[in-house]
Amino acid sequence: YPMEAVAKLGLLKMDFLGLINYSILAEARALVRQHHGVDLRLPDITFDDKCTYELLGSGETTAVFQLESPGMRRYIKELRPGSLAELAAMVALYRPGPMEHIPAFIDSKFGRTPITYPHPDLAEILEETYGVIVYQDQVLHILRRFAGYSLGSADIVRKAMGKKIASLMLQEREKFIKGALEQGYEQATAHAVFDLIEPFAGYAFNKAHSVSYAVVAYWTGYFKANYPVEYMTCVLNAYAGNAEKTAGVVAECSRLGIPVLGPEVNRSGVTFGIDATDDGIPAIRYGLASIKNVGESAVTELVAEREENGPYASLEEFAKRAGNEAANRRVLESLAKVGALDAFGPRGSLLASVERIGAMMAREGDLRSSGQSTMFDLFGASVPTPMMAIELLDAPEPTARERAAWERELLGVCIGERLLDARTAPPDAVLSREQLHAEPENKKVLLVGAVTGVRQQTDKQGRRIAFVTLEIFDGSSVEVPVWSRSFEQTASLWVEGALVAVRGPVRRRNDEVSVHCDEAAPYEPPNTDGQASRESTGAAGDPLAHEWHGPQATTQEEPPLTTPPPPAPRPQTAAGPTPAAGGYRPAPTANEGGSLGLRPSVPVPQPAPPPGASRPAPERRRVLINLTESDRPDEDQILLRQVLQTLLDYPGTDAVDLLITSAGRRWRLEMPIITTSYCNEMAERVGSLLGREDAVLVEGGALAGAGV
């Protein structure tokens, strides 16, 4: 029966909402109990945890119930809730109608605007929400206080307001005005109060509903803030099979500093689980059943056998013990493609040999299930049954791009060697969804990513268009609409797995952000496959970093500086080769190069000129930008992007070097791919950004020694 008929029959209609968050919380409790020995009952968690409110106030609320949308994240960061009541109010306000009052609510909380009430008699009702109507309950109390309604009759008015039937609304308005006049209020005041409550009645939450949601939001925030590895493991299990959700959660784990490790038959469980890196850092390990084409039934026996009798020492032992269910060709191919079998041989050879592996697994499984034995079984466990060795076929190894495409297809995200490394990104490229959300509407941005989905259709004029999904540097996905004019010129680019650079304006719709394609081109990342970095060899177009012992920046006249020769190749350090930057903006990584993201290179001594020798004049002007790293990496990154973008706003032929002070040493980073045109306006803008008078220097040319 439709709900209206049920209500007329006098029956009670109830809505039951199933929340996956409850499953996440239950599993998180179990993991915390297992790994920390703490038994957390949800009702016993107090609502005064400092870490939880710090997390909520940071706006980093991915995977926190009700607080994930970009708009909500923006508001919750501005509100910085300090109590469950404020959290509940924000949940209630973030809806059509009440939403327009969120800025007033936040400003009133912090005293930026005085708290005002529609009428002094309503202060008691609206005091807890800083004078803003937030809950349906408050509407009912206003109707009762201001117009003499009973709570029952007030609820009838609330329902009428929600249905927005004009004749009914007119009738209720007249009734309200009459009641208000009888209570001694003026007619103009009565009209103003009715106009105020009308938009809220149909859209606002009741307080019990809002508080219930806020409690779940707080619980999820509590686990994320205090037990992030356990919580994010459970979130990944909840969204297993949803590639877009999985990619977003893996990106959030990366932001939190939680390593997400690939599946491995000797380490993975059936589902996502907690493991550790070789350095002992807590990490999340992909579950085998989380691989596309590998169901839970295919790997349950495999995992149980390993846990009972120890790891698989060889491919032959794996074939003997792993069970019949895993002998399926599709299962073995998927396991091999994502590296779950890497311990047993090269990935290409394993893929070429899946039929041999599967045949031996099936034979061994049949022997076990039939109870048959070989003559070696007569000797007992002291004589192991010999097995024929599995000879892997020779096959070429997959390229880095093929491995990345397989991982993206089968795991939902590339977690191994990434083709898109933020350290080698173009200087003005968007690196994350968070950065994209911060960009203003209609601003043109550069988006670089791998095509993970293409949906082609036709517009009203019958012309072909496409909606493309790009996986960008942080592993998250961004939609790129490609309209007819652009599609005609770029149709060949939109192939799954292709790397593409897109430039176009930022667009927003219902808190979702996209980038519309004005132009696009293939993107070729710098080659970092274990070869010597181009930075170390000084290839054209790459940044050259070396320690700099030139004079301190000053606004006084100085002789032009000499650009030192490219440094000699540097030895590879334990941290690995310096990534080829290809003239792209360096980005920070853990323990690398401080907050501006420069990997510390081996200092190159500056050769002293012979006595009496004059400094050769540079071939062209070089604009030197003075930067100092702070203890706030995120802010340094934003500042660096703003500086580089400002330089690019003044096209020209002047070369650009960054003079970076870090930990008491100064580095000079040559940026061959970036050029600009020095002028007072540009220098003033950069100086304003950096907040220092010596922000910009020029060497060479007519402006040698000028400083701003």
Side-chain angles (χ1 to χ4, degrees), residues 613-662:
S614 60
R615 296 174 181 261
E619 294 181 2
R620 58 175 175 166
R621 292 189 315 203
R622 302 191 77 84
V623 176
L624 311 181
I625 308 298
N626 273 299
L627 300 164
T628 300
E629 289 187 318
S630 72
D631 58 356
R632 297 178 179 271
D634 293 341
E635 293 182 8
D636 285 351
Q637 277 294 305
I638 294 171
L639 187 61
L640 179 57
R641 283 199 298 268
Q642 291 173 336
V643 168
L644 294 179
Q645 184 58 57
T646 301
L647 296 175
L648 293 173
D649 287 344
Y650 297 87
T653 60
D654 294 341
V656 175
D657 288 1
L658 306 182
L659 306 182
I660 300 171
T661 301
S662 174

Side-chain angles (χ1 to χ4, degrees), residues 258-289:
I258 302 172
V260 178
L261 309 176
E264 187 181 334
V265 293
N266 274 332
R267 305 283 301 201
S268 294
V270 176
T271 59
F272 285 93
I274 296 176
D275 201 347
T277 65
D278 293 338
D279 299 330
I281 300 172
I284 299 174
R285 174 76 67 177
Y286 252 85
L288 298 177

Side-chain angles (χ1 to χ4, degrees), residues 335-347:
L335 290 172
K337 281 183 173 181
V338 297
L341 304 177
D342 279 0
F344 305 139
R347 201 172 299 191

Side-chain angles (χ1 to χ4, degrees), residues 29 33 38-46 219 223:
R29 286 186 60 225
R33 186 167 54 246
V38 179
D39 189 9
L40 284 168
R41 292 182 67 253
L42 295 179
D44 294 340
I45 296 175
T46 60
W219 283 340
F223 276 94

Side-chain angles (χ1 to χ4, degrees), residues 100-360:
E100 66 184 71
H101 295 275
I102 291 178
F105 182 86
I106 295 173
D107 287 341
S108 296
K109 173 193 171 177
F110 291 107
R112 292 190 288 264
T113 58
I115 298 173
T116 59
Y117 301 101
H119 190 278
D121 290 353
L122 303 183
E124 183 181 350
I125 299 172
L126 301 179
E127 183 179 15
E128 67 168 325
T129 54
Y130 306 114
V132 176
I133 299 175
V134 173
Y135 303 116
Q136 288 184 354
D137 314 55
Q138 292 172 314
V139 173
L140 303 186
H141 286 298
I142 291 172
L143 289 167
R144 186 179 67 164
R145 173 73 61 84
F146 215 78
Y149 283 70
S150 68
L151 286 177
S153 58
D155 195 47
I156 294 173
V157 176
R158 178 192 62 79
K159 291 178 181 178
M161 288 178 171
K163 293 176 182 177
K164 292 183 171 54
I165 301 173
S167 58
L168 197 57
M169 288 297 298
L170 182 60
Q171 178 182 332
E172 292 298 340
R173 176 183 286 272
E174 292 174 353
K175 182 179 178 182
F176 177 86
I177 301 301
K178 180 180 178 182
L181 293 174
E182 291 175 355
Q183 297 292 321
Y185 296 104
E186 295 180 358
Q187 186 169 5
T189 304
H191 278 290
V193 171
F194 191 87
D195 290 339
L196 183 66
I197 64 176
E198 184 179 346
F200 288 87
Y203 293 108
F205 279 170
N206 64 67
K207 187 174 181 180
H209 183 102
S210 302
V211 172
S212 298
Y213 270 27
V215 168
V216 179
Y218 180 90
W219 283 340
T220 55
Y222 177 88
F223 276 94
K224 183 179 180 183
N226 293 279
Y227 302 98
V229 177
E230 289 77 13
Y231 181 72
M232 299 307 288
T233 300
C234 298
V235 173
L236 282 167
N237 278 324
Y239 297 126
N242 185 324
E244 185 174 351
K245 282 280 191 180
T246 298
V249 177
V250 170
E252 178 67 0
C253 288
S254 176
R255 191 193 66 79
L256 293 170
I258 302 172
V260 178
L261 309 176
E264 187 181 334
V265 293
N266 274 332
R267 305 283 301 201
S268 294
V270 176
T271 59
F272 285 93
I274 296 176
D275 201 347
T277 65
D278 293 338
D279 299 330
I281 300 172
I284 299 174
R285 174 76 67 177
Y286 252 85
L288 298 177
S290 304
I291 306 169
K292 189 177 179 181
N293 304 328
V294 179
E296 187 172 329
S297 61
V299 293
T300 299
E301 183 181 351
L302 181 161
V303 172
E305 164 62 25
R306 185 198 71 215
E307 291 177 345
E308 182 177 350
N309 298 308
Y312 303 107
S314 65
L315 182 59
E316 290 76 15
E317 191 174 311
F318 173 78
K320 180 178 181 180
R321 296 167 48 199
N324 266 3
E325 295 292 336
N328 180 284
R329 177 189 176 94
R330 271 186 101 188
V331 171
L332 290 173
E333 279 186 345
S334 298
L335 290 172
K337 281 183 173 181
V338 297
L341 304 177
D342 279 0
F344 305 139
R347 201 172 299 191
S349 298
L350 287 165
L351 267 174
S353 308
V354 290
E355 291 211 9
R356 294 185 179 187
I357 301 169
M360 181 170 285

Side-chain angles (χ1 to χ4, degrees), residues 381-555:
S382 60
V383 179
T385 303
M387 287 187 64
M388 183 185 300
I390 300 176
E391 185 176 346
L392 295 177
L393 298 172
D394 289 331
E397 276 298 280
T399 64
R401 184 169 295 190
E402 287 174 324
R403 291 194 299 270
W406 289 340
E407 289 177 3
R408 196 176 293 110
E409 174 194 359
L410 300 173
L411 301 179
V413 64
C414 175
I415 60 171
E417 182 182 7
R418 295 185 61 85
L419 291 175
L420 293 176
D421 188 336
R423 293 170 297 182
T424 62
D428 56 342
V430 171
L431 300 182
S432 65
R433 278 187 67 86
E434 181 181 7
Q435 180 187 343
L436 186 61
H437 278 290
E439 298 289 0
E441 179 88 6
N442 296 323
K443 179 182 176 181
K444 282 199 173 186
V445 298
L446 175 63
L447 202 65
V448 174
V451 178
T452 58
V454 181
R455 179 165 51 90
Q456 292 192 30
Q457 58 188 65
T458 56
D459 61 16
K460 293 180 180 179
Q461 286 73 41
R463 299 170 300 187
R464 285 199 302 164
I465 61 175
F467 295 91
V468 178
T469 303
L470 284 189
E471 180 186 302
I472 60 176
F473 288 95
D474 70 340
S476 61
S477 297
V478 177
E479 185 178 70
V480 178
V482 187
W483 306 118
S484 56
R485 182 181 300 176
S486 297
F487 188 83
E488 290 175 3
Q489 302 168 351
T490 62
S492 61
L493 297 177
W494 313 120
V495 179
E496 288 198 23
L499 297 181
V500 182
V502 175
R503 193 174 290 278
V506 174
R507 296 282 193 265
R508 285 186 172 80
R509 184 178 182 182
N510 298 329
D511 278 337
E512 285 301 316
V513 65
S514 61
V515 175
H516 289 207
C517 174
D518 283 351
E519 51 184 320
Y523 175 74
E524 188 65 36
N527 182 13
T528 59
D529 290 340
Q531 300 176 7
S533 163
R534 288 185 296 172
E535 182 213 332
S536 66
T537 59
D542 292 347
L544 300 174
H546 49 79
E547 192 168 12
W548 189 56
H549 303 287
Q552 296 291 323
T554 174
T555 58

